[in-house]
Amino acid sequence: MTEKHKIVVVGGGVAGLDLASHVSGKPARKLGWDVRLVDRELAHVWKPMLHTIAAGTADTGAHQTAYLSQARRRGFSFELGEVVAVDRERSLIRIGPVMATGEEVLPARSLQYDTLVLAAGSRANDFGTPGVAEHCMTIDSRREALAFNDRLRIALIRSVASQRPLSVAVVGAGATGVELVAELIRLADVLELHGALGLRGNLSITLIETP
């Protein structure tokens, strides 16, 4: 029996997920392909929706595509983990261990490929500004948007309980930055309407952009 041609797609964003979905199933069976998608997240959220997840004004579950479910529907395999190295001489990728609450859930492992597609996406550029890596949060992924929302909720609770001002600075007046500011204002209005008295007046939001 002829061994299947191994196609590994790294990154489950719009490009990677769409590619894995379209080349799987009947095309893969006809051509003898084994298609695998690798991502460090369990689900995909369309990037233009991340600001609503970060603000907490949208239900994460309603706006995400679970990789395991999509893999079952379309006929590819899903590997959870972050790719930490590519060995081109041996045609394999190395996937780091998957950790949760300090415990190893999945061990580090390697995955062989015949064709490798890198669709890991892009990251926000801090332009080397000192202090950004240490003190700022980004929302380039579902995980980061949820982490931002966790931190925001704690800050809002503290502000309401103490009646102290809460200041939020958003750097970048592109679509994501502007819409995040709008969602934060909307969130404050809704929370105050539901009993968080004084929150809207205590919340200060600054949008920062270069001239």
Side-chain angles (χ1 to χ4, degrees):
M1 182 177 179
T2 305
E3 187 174 352
K4 290 186 177 181
H5 184 89
K6 302 179 184 67
I7 299 177
V8 175
V9 181
V10 177
V14 172
L17 184 59
D18 190 58
L19 175 64
S21 298
H22 278 84
V23 301
S24 300
K26 289 183 180 180
R29 288 193 295 271
K30 182 179 180 180
L31 297 169
W33 292 346
D34 173 29
V35 183
R36 293 178 181 268
L37 176 68
V38 184
D39 199 278
R40 62 181 181 178
E41 301 270 359
L42 285 168
H44 164 71
V45 174
W46 190 42
K47 199 164 186 177
M49 291 298 298
L50 287 176
H51 66 280
T52 62
I53 306 300
T57 54
D59 177 18
T60 308
H63 291 87
Q64 68 180 20
T65 300
Y67 291 126
L68 285 172
S69 297
Q70 181 74 354
R72 183 175 182 179
R73 283 194 300 267
R74 301 308 294 263
F76 61 88
S77 300
F78 173 64
E79 292 281 344
L80 176 64
E82 183 173 5
V83 175
V84 295
V86 176
D87 187 337
R88 295 181 64 184
E89 291 185 359
R90 299 172 63 188
S91 296
L92 59 83
I93 60 171
R94 302 192 188 280
I95 304 173
V98 177
M99 309 294 292
T101 62
E103 182 180 351
E104 185 177 276
V105 178
L106 293 174
R109 56 208 186 278
S110 298
L111 190 62
Q112 203 80 33
Y113 68 83
D114 295 306
T115 298
L116 177 64
V117 179
L118 298 178
S122 61
R123 299 283 304 170
N125 191 345
D126 64 12
F127 300 99
T129 306
V132 171
E134 296 83 0
H135 305 292
C136 296
M137 303 186 73
T138 55
I139 52 172
D140 283 317
S141 67
R142 170 181 171 274
R143 181 185 303 179
E144 291 179 353
L146 290 172
F148 178 92
N149 182 251
D150 286 341
R151 185 168 174 179
L152 175 66
R153 284 189 289 111
I154 292 172
L156 288 171
I157 292 171
R158 287 175 174 168
S159 177
V160 172
S162 65
Q163 284 298 301
R164 291 181 179 177
L166 172 61
S167 177
V168 179
V170 177
V171 180
T176 299
V178 171
E179 291 175 4
L180 176 59
V181 168
E183 291 299 314
L184 292 175
I185 294 172
R186 176 188 169 204
L187 174 66
D189 288 339
V190 171
L191 291 177
E192 183 152 351
L193 184 64
H194 285 81
L197 300 179
L199 177 59
R200 183 66 180 85
N202 285 334
L203 180 61
S204 171
I205 303 175
T206 304
L207 181 62
I208 303 170
E209 180 61 281
T210 56

